[in-house]
Amino acid sequence: MRIAIFGVGLIGGSLALCFKNKPGLHVVGHSPRQSSVEKMLKREVVDEATTSFEAAAVAADVIFLCVPVGNLEDYLVRLNRLPLKEGCIITDVGSTKQAIMACAQTCLRPGVRFIGGHPMAGKEKSGIEAASSYLFENAYYVLTPGDSADEAAYGKLVELLALTKAQIVRMNADMHDSIVGAISHLPHIIAVALVNLVAGHDRRNHLYSTLAAGGFRDLTRIASSDPIIWRDILASNRDVVLKLLHEWNDEINRFMKLIEENDGAGIEREFVAANRFRSELPERRKGVLTAMFDIYVEVPDQPGIIGKIASHLGDHKINLSNIQIMESRLDVPGALRLTFREEEDMAKAAELIKQMGCNVHY
């Protein structure tokens, strides 16, 4: 089976690594830039790479479109102009599905199968350098084959995606966009709006940014997402997002009324309900928003102590995602924030650091 991947970055590169060197599979990567082609070959992410759109597509049995949401429809139109193989399967990895499914239905000729896809996995880093064959493991991978799907083609794609070790979830495109709009698109908008609100206050009083360095920064981490990508996502899911924003305004207005009326019992009920629902959410399953696990470490003012901690964790094969110096003053111990992608790594790291004589807080 010949697999073509257009856009070999974090997602496309990770898919390529899942398929590469598997019996009977040959992975071809495409980029319009020669420098990117050379990079994917140097990193041995693909078996073959090319800047030729046609060369990558015409012999492919399965095509993965791993380009930004705003480019997906253009890629489908370009593919439809080529003599693709009979029975070729095209799929994408975009975080909205209704628009691309509608485009595929109108622009692709008979004999070519399109199945929408959205792997709900990611990292705080992007690009081919961050690609990993483990990215999708235990993550949900949504497929939207459409009402008139070719079940044989769907089964073929599911069998191929089993190599990612993701959990496949089948649903229709409008349900996908409604759910992802609520659990990903709306939170990103809220985070951006909240950061911009505080930034406005900070222009008049810099104590806002000084005191926001801890919990506020963690709460609004997703506001640092790529602006161009999110411009295209929100445009693609416009109707769903606008409906959710109206619902969000209703929730905020209801909360404002509780505060205006000094309704302490009502405010308490809101927090109790939110706590109950949040406590029932699965903790270990990867989702559309990347989970991060932090610990805070009190460290003595000694030369090389940070390097010793990092080396000690590395010696025990613990993957440290990020390290930040939170505080460094003459009269108190320094505080480090260590970030992990896996809760298990966090727990192991905490025990190892305690054994080094440092205090650890969660």
Side-chain angles (χ1 to χ4, degrees):
M1 179 188 296
R2 191 176 177 90
I3 301 168
I5 299 179
F6 289 82
V8 188
L10 171 63
I11 300 296
S14 297
L15 284 168
L17 288 171
C18 290
F19 304 144
K20 190 172 180 288
N21 298 325
K22 299 299 190 295
L25 301 183
H26 184 82
V27 183
V28 180
H30 171 269
S31 172
R33 297 180 297 276
Q34 183 61 33
S35 59
S36 296
V37 166
E38 293 171 357
K39 186 182 294 185
M40 65 180 87
L41 289 172
K42 183 178 180 180
R43 286 181 51 83
E44 299 183 341
V45 174
V46 296
D47 298 304
E48 177 185 339
T50 180
T51 58
S52 170
F53 192 93
E54 183 174 0
V58 293
D61 299 289
V62 181
I63 296 173
F64 284 87
L65 299 180
C66 304
V67 297
V69 167
N71 298 340
L72 284 172
E73 294 185 25
D74 289 340
Y75 270 69
L76 270 188
V77 171
R78 289 179 67 186
L79 287 172
N80 195 50
R81 298 187 186 126
L82 299 176
L84 300 178
K85 291 179 69 172
E86 183 72 19
C88 175
I89 299 171
I90 304 175
T91 187
D92 74 310
V93 299
S95 62
T96 61
K97 297 271 69 77
Q98 291 184 79
I100 191 62
M101 292 295 294
C103 177
Q105 189 172 10
T106 58
C107 80
L108 290 181
R109 64 180 179 276
V112 176
R113 316 299 184 199
F114 182 84
I115 300 171
H118 180 198
M120 292 186 169
K123 290 182 180 179
E124 71 279 9
K125 296 180 181 179
S126 60
I128 193 173
E129 294 82 3
S132 167
S133 61
Y134 301 105
L135 181 66
F136 310 106
E137 192 169 324
N138 296 320
Y140 288 115
Y141 197 124
V142 175
L143 292 178
T144 58
D147 295 334
S148 57
D150 182 323
E151 293 300 325
Y154 178 78
K156 184 177 179 181
L157 181 58
V158 169
E159 184 178 356
L160 177 61
L161 289 174
L163 296 172
T164 68
K165 299 182 180 178
Q167 180 173 330
I168 305 300
V169 179
R170 180 173 181 166
M171 65 177 67
N172 59 42
D174 58 344
M175 179 182 293
H176 168 275
D177 287 2
S178 294
I179 293 173
V180 175
I183 66 174
S184 175
H185 303 170
L186 180 62
H188 276 81
I189 295 171
I190 293 170
V192 168
L194 180 56
V195 169
N196 288 338
L197 172 68
V198 173
H201 287 288
D202 190 65
R203 283 190 285 271
R204 296 183 291 274
N205 183 348
H206 293 314
L207 280 174
Y208 279 86
S209 59
T210 300
L211 300 180
F216 181 84
R217 183 181 175 87
D218 296 337
L219 177 69
T220 58
R221 175 174 57 87
I222 56 177
S224 297
S225 300
D226 187 289
I228 303 302
I229 289 175
W230 277 93
R231 177 199 67 190
D232 293 345
I233 288 173
L234 296 181
S236 179
N237 205 23
R238 177 178 177 272
D239 292 343
V240 168
V241 168
L242 286 174
K243 179 177 181 294
L244 287 166
L245 283 171
H246 284 297
E247 293 177 2
W248 172 252
N249 284 336
D250 291 341
E251 285 292 315
I252 291 298
N253 288 331
R254 192 162 59 84
F255 222 108
M256 286 175 59
K257 186 176 181 181
L258 292 174
I259 297 172
E260 287 171 351
E261 296 177 353
N262 199 25
D263 186 350
I267 293 171
E268 183 178 346
R269 284 195 300 271
E270 294 297 314
F271 276 87
V272 168
N275 285 339
R276 183 182 300 116
F277 179 77
R278 187 176 184 277
S279 68
E280 294 170 353
L281 296 176
E283 294 183 3
R284 294 181 180 270
R285 175 72 63 183
K286 294 179 183 177
V288 68
L289 298 181
T290 306
M292 305 298 283
F293 301 95
D294 292 338
I295 59 174
Y296 298 84
V297 182
E298 295 179 19
V299 293
D301 186 13
Q302 297 175 359
I305 185 62
I306 297 175
K308 289 178 182 177
I309 290 174
S311 297
H312 192 49
L313 297 182
D315 291 341
H316 286 79
K317 310 298 183 186
I318 294 177
N319 186 20
L320 178 61
S321 176
N322 194 24
I323 184 168
Q324 180 184 4
I325 300 174
M326 299 292 293
E327 184 177 13
S328 182
R329 302 205 320 250
L330 292 175
D331 56 336
V332 298
L336 297 179
R337 179 171 65 186
L338 305 182
T339 302
F340 306 86
R341 295 191 189 95
E342 304 295 337
E343 188 175 10
E344 185 178 357
D345 282 345
M346 178 191 71
K348 290 179 180 177
E351 289 304 314
L352 289 170
I353 294 171
K354 288 176 184 176
Q355 293 170 14
M356 296 177 69
C358 299
N359 292 327
V360 177
H361 306 279
Y362 294 87

